[in-house]
Amino acid sequence: MDHFIYKDGELCAESITVRDIAREVGTPFYLYSTATLLRHYRLMDEALAGTRHLICYSVKAASNQAILMTLAAEGAGMDVVSVGEYLRAVTAGVSPQKIVFSGVGKMIEEMRLVLSGGIRQFNVESESELDDLSALAVDMKTVVPISIRVNPDVDALTHAKISTGKSENKFGVPISRVRQVYAYAATLPSLKVVGIDVHIGSQLTNLEPFALAYRKIAELVKALREDGHDISRLDLGGGLGIPYSRSNEVPPLPMEYGALIKREVGHLGCEIEIEPGRVIVGNAALLVSRVISIKSGESRQFLILDAAMNDLVRPAMYDSWHDIISVVEPSADSQETVYDVVGPVCETGDTFARHRWLPYLKPDDLVAFRGAGAYGAVMASEYNSRRLIPEVLVKDDQFAVIRPRPTYDEMINRDTLPSWL
Ligand SMILES: *Cc1c(COP(=O)(O)O)cnc(C)c1O
């Protein structure tokens, strides 16, 4: 459920019409709803009620400072995968004791900066990372809490590009070797094993892969404890999917996911960490765009928007579906027509939807992509020298631009010239 609904024939974000915001901000832009963000965060929190737990929001899903601060004020921890994200979280006021550092290729300089700022735990992905981290911690006279990311070889049943828990994926230590790697970690100075980490993929719409993975983790906890390791935390990753279309996807509810966690690992006495990204922010934003023109091709009509693949790359990258709706509510008896919905970028991949039934639209009409909050603004680029689009946050009847649209000069003047030109 979200807070983007029609009132009196107009699409609203909480208590403001999308049209009013568009008039002030200009299109295209991302539009986040505070109430929706909070609702999703609280649902995840309630799903784990009765367990000792920390929700570490996955910063890479949407990393604007205003979003991080909104979640931090609720008590959220954060999962970061780079120093840039770490600094974003700290700057937003998140205590380093609530930040976990994940990522398959951490660099020494990143590790150093994070260690000097403080961290809840490193989620370590390999023996060589253990070596680097231990040497650095000795050098810095500190002790680093670590979990080792396990690759459980479970098929997440999601898009291949966002599947991370199969043995052929680059992530984690193969489950067959993980006891050896823990034994090795225990021999290294200045590392303190605190737990196990797993993250099998994103946009999971079925609970079974989570159940398979967490069952393997539970067995592993027993084995590692027998080996003498102190396993007191389980980082169960993120990945819970969201409905992108009201018709064809019915992901599990947070409550069902929470019940599964309690069932599979609740008896182990560990503190639970989860790293949800998409499920918190995905349906908490729209991408609002304007129709530039409508062009008739040989066999189809192209709806050409002012938003493009550089603003929202998910359809081009993952063949993903976003519901596209008119900002003016279609009347009950209004006719629909079929469009290929495209942007102005010079790539055929710049296609948001093929053969999509939508109300009749005309130039200057506004449309909104639903479910644009996760992996939207953060993946944007300036391809075709299109400026990064603004992010806007609504709260009740107020809104604020939380990242302005740069001017063309600002974009161009970031380039610097060599002395010979
Ligand atoms: C991307 C990522 C997440 C978040 O995944 P969602 O599908 O957005 O919930 C969590 N943990 C790690 C390690 C990730 O890489």
Side-chain angles (χ1 to χ4, degrees):
M1 209 214 83
D2 62 47
H3 292 260
F4 301 110
I5 49 174
Y6 290 113
K7 284 179 207 151
D8 302 327
E10 285 267 346
L11 184 64
C12 290
E14 301 192 17
S15 309
I16 316 178
T17 68
V18 170
R19 188 208 298 263
D20 281 344
I21 302 171
R23 193 177 297 126
E24 207 156 308
V25 176
T27 55
F29 63 97
Y30 280 101
L31 179 56
Y32 300 86
S33 149
T34 301
T36 312
L37 266 179
L38 293 180
R39 178 188 150 78
H40 292 163
Y41 176 81
R42 289 169 186 164
L43 279 175
M44 293 305 278
D45 199 33
E46 283 161 23
L48 292 180
T51 66
R52 265 188 314 133
H53 66 272
L54 181 66
I55 298 180
C56 296
Y57 167 70
S58 175
V59 171
K60 77 178 192 289
S63 61
N64 189 289
Q65 289 294 286
I67 291 170
L68 301 189
M69 276 188 179
T70 301
L71 294 172
E74 288 287 298
M78 309 257 153
D79 167 49
V80 303
V81 294
S82 70
V83 154
E85 288 189 353
Y86 173 80
L87 294 173
R88 278 188 177 277
V90 170
T91 306
V94 182
S95 157
Q97 290 315 311
K98 286 185 171 180
I99 303 176
V100 300
F101 189 16
S102 301
V104 74
K106 305 182 191 74
M107 290 169 280
I108 303 263
E109 283 319 306
E110 290 189 297
M111 293 179 180
R112 189 189 302 279
L113 204 145
V114 164
L115 281 184
S116 58
I119 190 82
R120 176 181 176 83
Q121 105 215 0
F122 269 68
N123 290 333
V124 175
E125 296 245 1
S126 67
E127 280 121 314
S128 73
E129 187 183 335
L130 286 174
D131 289 335
D132 289 345
L133 196 54
S134 169
L136 196 59
V138 168
D139 187 42
M140 295 175 73
K141 298 190 172 49
T142 184
V143 172
V144 195
I146 61 159
S147 288
I148 292 178
R149 178 163 176 184
V150 178
N151 183 321
D153 194 22
V154 165
D155 188 343
L157 306 175
T158 183
H159 191 283
K161 285 186 188 168
I162 48 176
S163 181
T164 58
K166 281 286 285 170
S167 61
E168 66 260 33
N169 300 138
K170 70 181 176 182
F171 299 97
V173 172
I175 192 150
S176 55
R177 285 188 42 238
V178 80
R179 281 172 86 170
Q180 268 166 266
V181 177
Y182 270 92
Y184 180 61
T187 67
L188 294 174
S190 292
L191 300 184
K192 179 178 181 341
V193 169
V194 294
I196 307 179
D197 171 45
V198 67
H199 170 71
I200 57 174
S202 198
Q203 186 52 17
L204 274 74
T205 52
N206 186 325
L207 285 181
E208 198 51 32
F210 285 121
L212 288 174
Y214 297 169
R215 217 163 284 160
K216 290 188 182 196
I217 296 302
E219 282 167 22
L220 190 57
V221 171
K222 288 197 194 114
L224 290 174
R225 284 177 172 166
E226 280 164 21
D227 293 349
H229 302 287
D230 181 12
I231 305 295
S232 59
R233 285 181 196 163
L234 295 181
D235 183 335
L236 299 176
L240 189 60
I242 61 169
Y244 278 102
S245 155
R246 268 152 293 179
S247 49
N248 59 18
E249 266 172 330
V250 191
L253 299 170
M255 270 306 164
E256 297 167 324
Y257 176 63
L260 177 145
I261 289 177
K262 291 176 196 173
R263 189 174 70 236
E264 299 296 342
V265 300
H267 58 288
L268 296 167
C270 292
E271 181 173 10
I272 305 295
E273 299 163 340
I274 54 170
E275 303 170 342
R278 189 188 306 271
V279 75
I280 289 179
V281 77
N283 279 327
L286 305 173
L287 168 63
V288 181
S289 180
R290 192 172 52 84
V291 176
I292 298 176
S293 62
I294 291 151
K295 181 162 102 169
S296 295
E298 188 75 30
S299 59
R300 57 190 75 205
Q301 285 210 93
F302 295 102
L303 184 72
I304 306 175
L305 301 181
D306 65 355
M309 64 186 289
N310 68 299
D311 306 312
L312 177 67
V313 77
R314 298 186 66 257
M317 195 152 138
Y318 309 131
D319 308 307
S320 54
W321 172 287
H322 288 270
D323 273 344
I324 301 169
I325 59 173
S326 166
V327 164
V328 174
E329 184 172 22
S331 58
D333 59 350
S334 75
Q335 297 284 306
E336 293 207 322
T337 184
V338 70
Y339 296 108
D340 276 18
V341 183
V342 303
V345 157
C346 303
E347 300 256 353
T348 299
D350 185 22
T351 298
F352 290 118
R354 290 197 173 79
H355 217 80
R356 183 73 66 93
W357 287 94
L358 295 174
Y360 277 95
L361 291 160
K362 54 185 190 318
D364 281 335
D365 282 350
L366 296 175
V367 296
F369 291 73
R370 297 176 60 86
Y375 309 104
V378 284
M379 284 194 170
S381 78
E382 291 177 338
Y383 186 39
N384 278 210
S385 287
R386 291 164 51 85
R387 295 171 295 172
L388 289 183
I389 67 176
E391 292 179 282
V392 176
L393 181 64
V394 169
K395 185 175 193 297
D396 304 325
D397 57 355
Q398 309 173 69
F399 74 91
V401 173
I402 57 173
R403 187 180 71 190
R405 197 188 310 276
T407 65
Y408 285 108
D409 278 346
E410 281 164 349
M411 180 175 71
I412 293 166
N413 291 337
R414 280 206 317 266
D415 297 357
T416 54
L417 293 175
S419 59
W420 59 86
L421 284 178

mmCIF file of all heavy atoms in Angstrom, residues 9 19 37 60 92 242 291 303 350 405:
data_model
loop_
_atom_site.group_PDB
_atom_site.id
_atom_site.type_symbol
_atom_site.label_atom_id
_atom_site.label_comp_id
_atom_site.label_asym_id
_atom_site.label_seq_id
_atom_site.Cartn_x
_atom_site.Cartn_y
_atom_site.Cartn_z
ATOM 1 N N GLY A 9 -10.207 13.177 -8.888
ATOM 2 C CA GLY A 9 -9.775 13.084 -10.274
ATOM 3 C C GLY A 9 -8.316 13.411 -10.525
ATOM 4 O O GLY A 9 -7.873 13.468 -11.671
ATOM 5 N N ARG A 19 0.304 17.255 -9.899
ATOM 6 C CA ARG A 19 0.347 18.333 -10.889
ATOM 7 C C ARG A 19 0.928 19.627 -10.290
ATOM 8 O O ARG A 19 1.719 20.318 -10.924
ATOM 9 C CB ARG A 19 -1.072 18.591 -11.416
ATOM 10 C CG ARG A 19 -1.112 19.544 -12.587
ATOM 11 C CD ARG A 19 -2.427 20.278 -12.651
ATOM 12 N NE ARG A 19 -3.554 19.377 -12.833
ATOM 13 C CZ ARG A 19 -4.101 19.132 -14.026
ATOM 14 N NH1 ARG A 19 -3.632 19.686 -15.105
ATOM 15 N NH2 ARG A 19 -5.147 18.336 -14.106
ATOM 16 N N LEU A 37 7.260 5.495 3.011
ATOM 17 C CA LEU A 37 8.558 5.007 3.513
ATOM 18 C C LEU A 37 8.421 4.491 4.940
ATOM 19 O O LEU A 37 8.873 3.389 5.265
ATOM 20 C CB LEU A 37 9.543 6.187 3.581
ATOM 21 C CG LEU A 37 10.481 6.481 2.453
ATOM 22 C CD1 LEU A 37 11.307 7.712 2.823
ATOM 23 C CD2 LEU A 37 11.400 5.307 2.184
ATOM 24 N N LYS A 60 21.955 1.340 -1.014
ATOM 25 C CA LYS A 60 22.084 1.432 -2.466
ATOM 26 C C LYS A 60 20.744 1.512 -3.187
ATOM 27 O O LYS A 60 20.684 1.939 -4.331
ATOM 28 C CB LYS A 60 22.934 0.274 -3.011
ATOM 29 C CG LYS A 60 22.263 -1.074 -3.117
ATOM 30 C CD LYS A 60 23.260 -2.060 -3.727
ATOM 31 C CE LYS A 60 22.645 -3.374 -4.163
ATOM 32 N NZ LYS A 60 22.245 -4.225 -3.038
ATOM 33 N N ALA A 92 23.985 11.270 7.609
ATOM 34 C CA ALA A 92 22.549 11.340 7.914
ATOM 35 C C ALA A 92 22.277 11.095 9.396
ATOM 36 O O ALA A 92 21.123 11.076 9.817
ATOM 37 C CB ALA A 92 21.786 10.328 7.062
ATOM 38 N N ILE A 242 8.532 -6.682 -4.231
ATOM 39 C CA ILE A 242 7.361 -5.803 -4.122
ATOM 40 C C ILE A 242 6.485 -5.998 -5.354
ATOM 41 O O ILE A 242 6.961 -6.458 -6.391
ATOM 42 C CB ILE A 242 7.772 -4.317 -4.019
ATOM 43 C CG1 ILE A 242 8.558 -3.866 -5.269
ATOM 44 C CG2 ILE A 242 8.598 -4.080 -2.759
ATOM 45 C CD1 ILE A 242 8.755 -2.364 -5.355
ATOM 46 N N VAL A 291 4.426 13.998 -21.399
ATOM 47 C CA VAL A 291 4.394 13.510 -22.775
ATOM 48 C C VAL A 291 4.953 14.602 -23.692
ATOM 49 O O VAL A 291 4.474 15.739 -23.674
ATOM 50 C CB VAL A 291 2.942 13.169 -23.209
ATOM 51 C CG1 VAL A 291 2.902 12.749 -24.677
ATOM 52 C CG2 VAL A 291 2.358 12.092 -22.305
ATOM 53 N N LEU A 303 4.575 6.586 -27.593
ATOM 54 C CA LEU A 303 4.341 7.657 -26.639
ATOM 55 C C LEU A 303 5.723 8.121 -26.191
ATOM 56 O O LEU A 303 6.432 7.387 -25.504
ATOM 57 C CB LEU A 303 3.526 7.135 -25.453
ATOM 58 C CG LEU A 303 3.109 8.157 -24.402
ATOM 59 C CD1 LEU A 303 2.014 9.067 -24.950
ATOM 60 C CD2 LEU A 303 2.617 7.459 -23.143
ATOM 61 N N ASP A 350 15.975 2.396 -25.036
ATOM 62 C CA ASP A 350 15.288 3.440 -24.277
ATOM 63 C C ASP A 350 13.780 3.283 -24.440
ATOM 64 O O ASP A 350 13.093 4.165 -24.966
ATOM 65 C CB ASP A 350 15.755 4.820 -24.748
ATOM 66 C CG ASP A 350 15.161 5.936 -23.903
ATOM 67 O OD1 ASP A 350 14.762 5.654 -22.759
ATOM 68 O OD2 ASP A 350 15.109 7.079 -24.388
ATOM 69 N N ARG A 405 17.664 19.872 -9.636
ATOM 70 C CA ARG A 405 18.149 19.632 -10.991
ATOM 71 C C ARG A 405 19.331 20.563 -11.236
ATOM 72 O O ARG A 405 19.213 21.768 -11.003
ATOM 73 C CB ARG A 405 17.024 19.964 -11.990
ATOM 74 C CG ARG A 405 17.218 19.407 -13.382
ATOM 75 C CD ARG A 405 16.154 19.957 -14.349
ATOM 76 N NE ARG A 405 14.777 19.864 -13.880
ATOM 77 C CZ ARG A 405 14.018 18.769 -14.011
ATOM 78 N NH1 ARG A 405 14.476 17.697 -14.604
ATOM 79 N NH2 ARG A 405 12.772 18.767 -13.558
#
